[in-house]
Structure formats: C-alpha cells, structure tokens
C-alpha cells in the first residue's frame, strides 16, 4: 500500500468525531442496519475512501464515528447522517490522545485489511495469505 506524500506526513493528520446519542428510553433498541445513522455514515465514508472507524461509547446507547484525513478540510455533508452531531475535532499539532491514536490505528488496520481482501488475500487467524492459483508459475519451489 503506498500513500500519497500528503498522507505519509503524520503531522498533517486531522480528525473529527461524530456522535449518535441513540434512543433515550429503555430498553435501548438500535435501528435496522440501513437506518442506523452511524453505520450508514460509516458505509458512505468507506465508499468515498475516507479513513474512518466507529465504536460504541461507554455510555449506554451512544455510538461514535471518527473520521481522519490529511490536508484541507473536506466537506463531509453528503457522508454524515443528519442525526449525527459533530462533538470534537482536532489536529496533530494540538496532540493526539491515546484514544485518538488507538482509533486511528484501527482505521488504518481496517483499510489495510480491505485492500488485502480486494486483492484476493484470505485471512487465516491473524495472518493474510494469497491462495495458490493452478495456472500460476511457481516463484520458488522451496
């Protein structure tokens, strides 16, 4: 995976955290996947090649969507569901909290996994392997 020069510079990282509060009444019922504001927005971000990750918050019923990018601030209006609220944003220069670094790593890990799967790799436990194809010429017989 090669990143453009603007994406290889960590000091240019920016992020934004969106929150969906969810239902305030008990019991907590989550919408069907197509109607879920977090998953719907996350899916749109993946299709638009925006580095993103979602997670459940420690508060019941609350979930978050984190977006990461480099360079100029993009317009996320088409990607983000109207029920989500932008709660926090930041830049590398103001510091990356442990939480933010962890989620950035998870988003990059997910991106790498998708890239490998799109190139016909198969996941075996924590490893990725490329299955041998019958018509393929052997590179090394050992």
């Amino acid at each position: 995976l090669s990143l453009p020069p603007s994406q290889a510079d960590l000091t240019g990282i920016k992020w934004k955290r969106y929150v969906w509060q969810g239902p305030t009444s008990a019991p907590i019922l989550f919408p069907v996947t197509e109607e879920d504001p977090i998953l719907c927005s996350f899916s749109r971000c993946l299709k638009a090649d925006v580095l993103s990750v979602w997670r459940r918050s420690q508060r019941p019923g609350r979930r978050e969507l984190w977006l990461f990018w480099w360079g100029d601030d993009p317009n996320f209006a088409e990607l983000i569901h109207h029920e989500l609220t932008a709660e926090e944003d930041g830049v590398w220069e103001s510091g990356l909290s442990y939480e933010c670094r962890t989620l950035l790593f998870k988003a990059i890990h997910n991106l790498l996994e998708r890239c490998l799967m799109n190139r016909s790799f198969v996941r075996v436990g924590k490893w990725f392997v490329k299955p041998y194809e019958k018509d393929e010429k052997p590179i090394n017989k050992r």
Side-chain angles (χ1 to χ4, degrees):
L1 175 71
S2 68
L3 296 172
S6 66
Q7 293 184 354
D9 181 16
L10 291 178
T11 60
I13 292 175
K14 298 177 183 179
W15 72 90
K16 189 175 286 266
R17 177 171 55 112
Y18 290 90
V19 176
W20 182 62
Q21 190 57 49
T24 53
S25 62
I28 298 169
L29 298 173
F30 290 104
V32 179
T33 305
E34 296 86 28
E35 299 168 357
D36 185 307
I38 290 287
L39 296 180
C40 178
S41 299
F42 178 66
S43 177
R44 290 179 196 161
C45 289
L46 291 180
K47 287 178 186 166
D49 292 327
V50 175
L51 191 58
S52 56
V53 66
W54 74 274
R55 71 170 183 172
R56 289 180 181 87
S57 179
Q58 293 168 345
R59 289 189 228 161
R62 183 178 160 121
R63 291 188 274 169
E64 302 172 344
L65 176 66
W66 290 66
L67 307 181
F68 300 92
W69 70 94
W70 288 261
D72 298 331
D73 293 358
N75 181 3
F76 295 125
E78 296 291 319
L79 304 176
I80 303 303
H81 194 278
H82 68 276
E83 291 183 37
L84 300 185
T85 307
E87 198 165 273
E88 180 185 8
D89 58 359
V91 295
W92 176 272
E93 288 81 17
S94 64
L96 237 61
S97 67
Y98 174 76
E99 171 186 51
C100 187
R101 287 191 313 261
T102 302
L103 292 168
L104 174 60
F105 175 79
K106 183 178 178 184
I108 292 171
H109 183 269
N110 290 343
L111 173 66
L112 291 171
E113 186 173 318
R114 282 192 312 276
C115 287
L116 288 171
M117 299 296 249
N118 287 338
R119 288 177 173 78
S120 302
F121 280 76
V122 176
R123 187 174 189 161
V124 179
K126 65 179 183 177
W127 302 101
F128 289 91
V129 295
K130 184 140 188 177
Y132 177 76
E133 295 181 17
K134 189 172 103 177
D135 300 332
E136 201 174 312
K137 291 183 181 181
I139 297 171
N140 189 347
K141 293 185 181 186
R142 286 188 251 166

